[in-house]
Amino acid sequence: MRSHSSKPSWRPPRGVSRDRSGRARPLLLQALAEPERLPSLSAAGWDRLLREARRAEMLGRIAALVAGLGALDRIPTPARDPLEAARLIVEQQQRLIRWEITRILHALAGSDFPIVLLKGAAYLLAELPAGRGRLFADVDIMVPAEQLVQVEERLLQAGWEFVTLDRYDERYYRSWSHELMPMRHRHRGIVVDVHHNILPPVGRLLADARLLLEAARPLPGSRLAVLAPPDMILHSAVHMFQSGELHSALRDLTDLDALLRHFARDPGFFDALVARAHALGLARPLFYALRNTRRLLGTPTPEGLERRVDIPPRPVRALMDYLVSRAMVPRLPDATPRGVTLSRWALHVRYQWQRMPARLLARHLLHKALSRRAAR
């Protein structure tokens, strides 16, 4: 199936810019921006697309797009088996996640505080388009900070255990993070991340968790809730542009694209989104979310929307455009463009700077460096 001589006959989609050197975006970005063109992709193009999607953990998303088009019988035969396998893997994983959520509810039965699902688990149970074909191996929940001790005790009693960490890491999570240490069930292996906020309490950006919990939307027939639509997008923006988890950056970008397209059906949604971003102090992450979904995926948003949020200076915008564009490129052994590794490193440095004040950050980085050296 692989051919190094023929190239996929697919130009960058409308509304999606080239990079500064004039090179086209990776084929995966083009496919996500204009999925209706997938059936016209050549066999060589499918080979390239499948490798990029697998590397970015997006094969299930591509399979869902093809299924949504009803186009499985119109793509080259060698590409069908990987897509069908990806679809089955996603379905099985989502069944496991649904079951894990019932076990969490069982462990927390009798309590009366809110339990808010975040990210993939929220998209799945709220039946949002962002959950279609999405892989995720853990369940993220958010509870009031004053209930963390009770939640921790109940989950420990029900079979979850903290992922092995040293004493410093435990202090890091309990004092400086917005979540407990990851907890993995001893038999099922599914990880639960228990949040009390969406941003660290010592970071340069802060969010009022009480406002998020008060606005959360209950799921029908359940004590569970999900974040309100504007808050869901703001959390996804924060996760992508403040978390530093670059291995899932492209998945996070497509989450934002799917959420924006879905909630845009409400005529007043974008006004509410901008107002909420300013109320929570999250206008800058929203700017980057709006700019990069439009730039890289062609997400339709109202004209001038970006100017209503926190616009960084032009040099900062240009640098972030460069870094984010390259961070989205899947790393392939035979064809990773120059600058990808450096761009990811630079964004990781930015993430660390956003997460902690300078003095605490210096101490944290020194400890990590010494720990790595001792482990050699």
Side-chain angles (χ1 to χ4, degrees), residues 116 142 197-198 207-217 226-228 231-232 234 276 280 282:
V116 178
M142 182 175 173
N197 206 322
I198 61 172
D208 190 337
R210 293 173 299 176
L211 296 178
L212 298 170
L213 292 170
E214 288 170 1
R217 305 283 182 86
V226 296
L227 294 175
D231 295 349
M232 197 176 286
L234 291 172
R276 188 64 164 174
L280 290 170
L282 302 177

Side-chain angles (χ1 to χ4, degrees), residues 8 12 21-22 24 43-44 67 71 74 111 123 145-146 161 167 176 214 228 275 278-279 330 336 350 359 370:
S21 66
R74 288 186 282 150
S111 58
Y123 309 152
E146 59 270 19
E161 301 171 331
R167 190 170 296 177
W176 305 323
E214 288 170 1
H278 285 294
T336 297
R350 175 185 178 273
R359 184 175 179 180
L370 293 175

